[in-house]
């Protein structure tokens, strides 16, 4: 079984290069291709990716996509998935990964093992921050009341482990390619926020399981830009409004109510 990885850079050149250097240390038989999308022009990164003496040259099949205009999070990964499906031997697994992901122990074997369990459509690893503290990467459905309780409860509530999460953040998600294709990937109408919630809901509504690879752990320092920047907060609120009025959210809520009713 092999993986195709999608990484998007929006001025993240240094992190992309560090991540590629880390991927070189992964079992090479597991990684078929790495799609790197430059969402904005990055001459230094472009030059580094083309360098004949790059550390991954001959070890990783790195394909570079250049966007003439910036695309949203979901649109970028959907574009990479489309290119992967056009290959003569597309990978059966498609990985969406942020460029700021790192790890001390390679996560791919554990994630692939979890992904091959019956019914699983998407796998996520455990996530910790740079200090080793657990991240709130897997959560229940974000209802207005749940969000209010979460933020009033502070960091302890945000880091509390959820027994039966309805969604996981998209910092690192491993999809079965057939599942990703069946649900048509990310909804590109979400520009930056809530697209991970939406895809997890639609995946489960399509009959697939969302599973944690408990033996895989990565480091991810969430930026939480919506806590600091008014523009990002506006995007976040608009995405939440769209999510709460979406058919996927309403169907998932109804199914949950029937299960617990």
């Amino acid at each position: 079984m092999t993986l195709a990885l999608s990484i998007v850079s929006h001025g993240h050149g240094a992190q992309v290069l560090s991540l590629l250097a880390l991927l070189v240390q992964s079992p090479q038989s597991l990684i078929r291709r790495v799609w790197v999308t430059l969402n904005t022009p990055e001459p230094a990164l472009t030059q580094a990716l083309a360098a004949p003496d790059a550390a991954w040259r001959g070890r990783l099949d790195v394909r570079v996509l250049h966007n003439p205009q910036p695309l949203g999070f979901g649109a970028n990964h959907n574009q990479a998935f489309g290119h992967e499906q056009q290959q003569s031997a597309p990978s059966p697994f498609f990985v969406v990964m942020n460029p700021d992901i790192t790890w001390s122990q390679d996560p791919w074997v554990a994630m692939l093992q979890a992904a091959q369990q019956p019914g699983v459509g998407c796998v996520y690893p455990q996530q910790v921050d740079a200090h080793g503290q657990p991240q709130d990467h897997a959560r229940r459905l974000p209802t207005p009341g749940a969000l209010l309780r979460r933020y009033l409860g502070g960091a302890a509530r945000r880091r509390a482990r959820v027994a039966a999460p309805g969604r996981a953040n998209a910092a690192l998600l491993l999809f079965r390619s057939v599942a990703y294709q069946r649900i048509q990937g990310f909804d590109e109408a979400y520009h930056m926020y809530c697209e991970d919630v939406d895809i997890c809901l639609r995946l489960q509504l399509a009959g697939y399981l969302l599973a944690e690879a408990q033996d895989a752990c990565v480091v991810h320092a969430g930026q939480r830009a919506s806590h600091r920047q008014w523009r990002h907060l506006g995007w976040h609120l608009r995405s939440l409004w769209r999510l709460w009025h979406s058919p996927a959210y309403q169907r998932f809520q109804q199914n949950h109510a029937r299960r617990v009713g």
Side-chain angles (χ1 to χ4, degrees):
M1 293 295 180
T2 59
L3 304 167
L5 283 66
S6 174
I7 306 165
V8 179
S9 180
H10 193 95
H12 301 92
Q15 291 176 324
V16 170
L17 295 176
S18 295
L19 183 53
L20 290 174
L22 190 58
L23 286 168
V24 167
Q25 303 172 33
S26 299
Q28 296 304 296
S29 60
L30 295 183
I31 300 176
R32 179 166 294 179
R33 263 175 296 275
V34 181
W35 296 95
V36 178
T37 300
L38 277 63
N39 204 29
T40 57
E42 295 185 59
L45 178 57
T46 300
Q47 184 177 3
L49 291 171
D53 59 345
W56 56 86
R57 188 72 61 204
R59 303 186 64 187
L60 292 175
D61 182 2
V62 178
R63 309 286 183 93
V64 183
L65 304 174
H66 297 267
N67 286 345
Q69 299 292 333
L71 298 177
F73 179 93
N76 275 310
H77 289 299
N78 287 349
Q79 175 180 253
F81 181 79
H83 282 281
E84 176 62 28
Q85 293 305 296
Q86 293 171 13
Q87 304 305 303
S88 58
S91 172
F93 295 98
F94 181 67
V95 177
V96 169
M97 182 164 51
N98 282 9
D100 59 351
I101 289 287
T102 62
W103 56 80
S104 57
Q105 182 174 347
D106 195 274
W108 304 121
V109 171
M111 291 187 71
L112 271 171
Q113 288 175 344
Q116 293 177 67
Q117 296 303 307
V120 171
C122 179
V123 171
Y124 60 92
Q126 297 185 55
Q127 289 183 27
V128 297
D129 64 19
H131 305 289
Q133 293 296 315
Q135 292 279 64
D136 57 334
H137 59 285
R139 309 172 192 167
R140 294 191 180 93
L141 203 61
T143 64
L147 287 177
L148 181 62
R149 290 190 296 272
R150 180 169 174 265
Y151 286 104
L152 290 178
R157 180 179 288 275
R158 290 195 293 272
R159 288 174 176 165
R161 189 175 181 84
V162 175
R167 48 89 174 219
N169 74 24
L172 177 53
L173 295 175
L174 186 158
F175 294 90
R176 283 185 180 270
S177 295
V178 292
Y180 193 94
Q181 189 165 39
R182 180 180 172 187
I183 63 173
Q184 300 182 325
F186 287 98
D187 183 343
E188 298 179 12
Y190 293 95
H191 178 72
M192 184 175 293
Y193 296 99
C194 295
E195 62 276 284
D196 49 0
V197 184
D198 173 78
I199 200 170
C200 287
L201 299 187
R202 288 188 292 110
L203 185 89
Q204 293 169 90
L205 288 169
Y208 294 101
L209 299 175
L210 179 65
E212 181 184 66
Q214 297 184 358
D215 293 330
C217 183
V218 299
V219 178
H220 176 239
Q223 297 300 309
R224 303 193 187 281
S226 65
H227 295 194
R228 305 185 309 273
Q229 300 177 25
W230 286 109
R231 183 175 63 167
H232 283 259
L233 177 60
W235 287 340
H236 201 169
L237 292 174
R238 284 194 295 271
S239 291
L240 282 169
W241 182 261
R242 177 180 178 82
L243 176 73
W244 289 333
H245 291 82
S246 70
Y249 183 90
Q250 293 172 14
R251 283 180 55 204
F252 196 90
Q253 281 279 64
Q254 292 167 0
N255 290 353
H256 178 73
R258 283 195 292 268
R259 287 195 300 268
V260 301

